[in-house]
Structures are given as C-alpha cells and as structure tokens.
C-alpha cells in the first residue's frame, strides 16, 4: 500500500506533503465504534493490524478504516445515481461476496457485520467457510468456489481446466458445458440470496460491483426470481478488484 500511495498522489499532480487525510477501504468486518478490524480477522490481516493507523503515521495525517462495500454503498447515492434513492444495497463480488447498505443516505453498519451477505447460510450442510460457518453464500459462489467446482468436474479431462474466475468465465463464454453450468447455477443462487434481501429491505436499487464476472454472464433480476415478492432496480458498477478482496 505504501508503494501505491505515492503513485496515486502523483497522478493528481500533488506531493505526499499535500495529503491532509486518508481512508482505507478493506474487504473485512470493521467495528464502527473503534474503527478497527472485528474478529474473526481474516487473511491477509491479523488481529491487532491497523492499516489506516500505520499509513496515517507514515504520512503524518489522520487515517480512517472502513469496509469497502460500506463505502461503495455510500458512494452510490452520492455519486452514482440520478434522483433520490432511499434504500440502496451495494453488492461487491470478487473472491468473496460483500454488501453495503445505505438508508436515507446513512450507511448501516450494525456492530461491524451488517451487509455480510456472503455469510448468509444457504446450505446448512455445505462446506465450512473461512469465517467458521458452514454453507455460506461465499462457499457456493465465491471465485474460489466456482473455480473449484469446475476443476472437480473436469478432473481427468484432457481439456485445460480453469485456473481463475476470469478463465472460467472465458470458457463459459466459449461454450464449455461445465463452466456454463457452474456460472448458471451460481447465478441462480445469487438471485436467491438477493431475493431474500429484496423481501427484507425492499430496496430502490441493488448495485452489483466488480470488474468480473461480466454483466452479460451474470444477467439476473432478483424481482424476477420465484423467491422475490418485491421489485427493485439493478445497476452494474465496474470496479477494480483488490488483490486482498
């Protein structure tokens, strides 16, 4: 991160001495009362790590730490939408699945675990999750889970197996039957999870954020799901994935 900061500042035409504050968006649970990681603290960080404090001390400015999906959700009604949106759900898909919730322009954090849609239990008898739960959404449609499903199905095949989410998506786009099925099943499960969110919150908008998978592959409408009784808008927000997300 210290290597990236000077590069970002240089792009603005400023110097490091011009920085007056900083914020760190991390794909982890953050306690809003302390601004620190909540337990369990998942890799690559460990309990006691404070990246915003470390960077703030380095730059001699005040630093703040928050969940990346919470900040994305806050940015959506501030910069990304036309007109008033009372309830916005921002879902970020990458290695894991996270979400942020904004109601009347106020981010809803709970005690630091609000919006953890990736840890909704959709399969009580499913795989153990890195959070310690079992059958979380992330274990079903997270990037690692999707690649694992395809590799297991293609084990022993002469065909090259996907080694990343991007390669899995590319193979699905090319008509690979196994990869197409993995994506189709994941899309259904994602729609089911978001339909539960719609029924609970009845949001004005759901934003799906992430540089992959592509929009045409993950085309879904929670309102069209048999599990959903309410309608809402859906917006695609391309973002750059963090290597630690």
């Amino acid at each position: 991160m210290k290597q990236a900061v000077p590069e970002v500042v240089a792009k603005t035409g400023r110097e490091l001495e011009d920085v007056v504050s900083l914020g760190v968006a991390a794909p982890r649970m953050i306690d809003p009362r302390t601004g620190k990681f909540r337990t369990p603290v998942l890799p690559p960080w460990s309990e006691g790590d404070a990246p915003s404090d470390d960077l703030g001390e380095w730059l001699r400015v005040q630093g703040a730490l928050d969940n990346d999906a919470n900040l994305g959700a806050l940015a959506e009604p501030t910069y990304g939408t036309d007109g008033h949106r009372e309830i916005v759900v921002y879902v970020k898909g990458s290695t894991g699945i996270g979400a942020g919730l904004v109601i009347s322009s106020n981010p809803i954090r709970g005690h630091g675990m609000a919006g953890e849609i990736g840890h909704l239990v959709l399969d009580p008898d499913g795989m153990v999750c890195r959070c310690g739960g079992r059958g979380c959404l992330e274990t079903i449609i997270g990037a690692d889970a999707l690649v694992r499903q395809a590799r297991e199905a293609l084990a022993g095949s002469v065909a090259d197996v996907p080694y990343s989410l991007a390669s899995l998506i590319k193979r699905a786009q090319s008509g690979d039957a196994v990869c197409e099925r993995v994506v189709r099943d994941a899309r259904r499960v994602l729609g089911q999870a978001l339909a539960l969110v719609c029924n609970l919150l009845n949001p004005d908008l759901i934003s799906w954020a992430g540089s992959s998978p592509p929009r045409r592959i993950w085309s879904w409408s929670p309102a069209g799901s048999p599990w959903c009784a309410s309608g809402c808008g859906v917006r695609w927000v391309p973002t750059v994935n963090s290597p630690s997300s």
Side-chain angles (χ1 to χ4, degrees):
M1 294 178 71
K2 287 184 178 180
Q3 294 177 344
V5 170
E7 296 175 4
V8 173
V9 173
K11 290 180 180 179
T12 69
R14 301 282 187 170
E15 303 291 336
L16 285 179
E17 293 74 16
D18 298 320
V19 176
V20 296
S21 64
L22 71 92
V24 176
R28 295 294 179 265
M29 297 179 292
I30 311 297
D31 189 329
R33 297 167 298 182
T34 64
K36 309 295 184 184
F37 288 119
R38 272 200 59 137
T39 55
V41 182
L42 303 179
W45 289 286
S46 302
E47 192 166 351
D49 285 348
S52 59
D53 291 347
D54 294 341
L55 287 174
E57 182 177 352
W58 173 56
L59 291 171
R60 299 181 181 178
V61 299
Q62 181 68 38
L65 176 68
D66 204 344
N67 175 268
D68 60 344
N70 285 344
L71 296 176
L74 186 60
E76 182 64 24
T78 304
Y79 303 106
T81 61
D82 299 322
H84 177 67
R85 305 279 190 171
E86 182 181 3
I87 303 177
V88 174
V89 177
Y90 175 98
V91 182
K92 180 176 179 289
S94 182
T95 303
I97 308 292
L101 171 64
V102 168
I103 299 178
S104 298
S105 299
N106 295 310
I108 306 301
R109 295 184 172 89
H111 292 289
M113 298 181 66
E116 289 295 333
I117 187 175
H119 299 288
L120 286 177
V121 177
L122 296 187
D123 182 5
D125 298 318
M127 292 189 62
V128 174
C129 179
R130 57 181 176 166
C131 73
R134 182 182 289 277
C136 297
L137 177 64
E138 191 171 295
T139 68
I140 303 172
I141 67 167
D144 291 344
L146 297 183
V147 172
R148 182 182 63 251
Q149 292 173 41
R151 291 179 67 89
E152 289 176 352
L154 291 168
S157 171
V158 295
D160 293 335
V161 295
Y163 56 87
S164 66
L165 179 59
S167 64
L168 186 150
I169 295 298
K170 184 176 181 179
R171 290 174 66 96
Q173 290 176 314
S174 300
D176 183 285
V178 168
C179 294
E180 279 188 346
R181 181 54 186 258
V182 168
V183 170
R184 187 164 60 247
D185 286 353
R187 184 173 57 195
R188 173 180 54 81
V189 174
L190 175 63
Q192 180 181 1
L194 293 181
L196 296 174
V197 173
C198 286
N199 284 337
L200 179 64
L201 299 174
N202 191 22
D204 298 282
L205 177 71
I206 291 179
S207 290
W208 171 263
S211 61
S212 63
R215 172 171 37 189
R216 63 182 177 273
I217 290 292
W218 285 72
S219 298
W220 46 261
S221 173
S225 165
W227 300 284
C228 187
S230 63
C232 65
V234 177
R235 196 169 91 88
W236 168 263
V237 185
T239 61
V240 177
N241 286 334
S242 163
S244 58
S245 61

